Amino acid sequence: MGLHAALAVHPASGRGAAARVAEAVAARLRPAVDRLDVLTATSVEESRALMRSSHAEGLDVLIVLGGDGAAHQGVQFCAEHDVALGLVPSGTGNDLARALGIPADPRAATDRLARALQAGHRRRIDLGRLADAWFATVLCSGFDAAVNARANRLRWPQGPRRYDVAILAELAAFRPRPIVLHTDEGTLELEATLVAAGNTPYYGGGIPVCPGADPGDGLFDVTVIGSAGRFGLVRMLPGLRTGRHLGHPAVRTLRTRTLRVEAPGWPAYADGEDQSRTPVEATCVPSALTVVVPR
């Protein structure tokens, strides 16, 4: 039997962008595979059921057309079933696709994916493991998680600027708090504003919070912003877009395979998805996922 792929379409991604390009994406993919199932779902449960049905018939590659939320669901399924993952970004943030060097334009991404499928180009990447979920990009807690929660509630503006609006709103209320970090090298206690553990560099629509994170090295890159205060954060924020925040005196970095964050009820997010509140514990699992990407 030849290559069996499924295209998981999340119509609401990117304010309907996925639905608008789904037919064109499927048409570009069909010549590159022997069978293509198109799985259109409006809920996580429905999407999972369709994926399981394709898997029962010999699924080789799951291609996700959507944003980071859709990619997160694809990561769960593929890691659990040893199915390769392909991405066609059409959401707001697209941070996993960005980290893998996939073009932001869905049609360009599809054409490159089709060539990679035909050439058999695949690679293994690490994933973060929580108690009952995987994550591919960044686990965050504190100020940035509060921003993520607020951004998810906003309906305007679209795109990365939604996160900028959420940042300004959260600045008025958030304060540094005492936290405890348990790492491979020991325990760190400090007043902090946020903690971000990156398997890949980006979150929040392209913010390189952990710019050196490499999903092939078996470790998280952890960025901790200490007691910067409101005005310190304001001065630091422009540097977050370019990675210059690492030079700020309130920022410290470390690398670890395991991380436990203990903080006073801080929100926690991974891949932009709500993980409830701290304490939260994560482990970097080497080569946990196969991805189809151009060389």
Side-chain angles (χ1 to χ4, degrees), residues 210-231:
C210 302
D214 178 357
D217 63 5
L219 297 170
F220 296 129
D221 278 35
V222 182
T223 299
V224 184
I225 297 182
S227 186
R230 185 183 307 169
F231 296 109

Side-chain angles (χ1 to χ4, degrees), residues 1 6 29 159 185 245 276:
M1 183 178 176
L29 288 173
E185 304 301 321
H245 60 288
S276 189

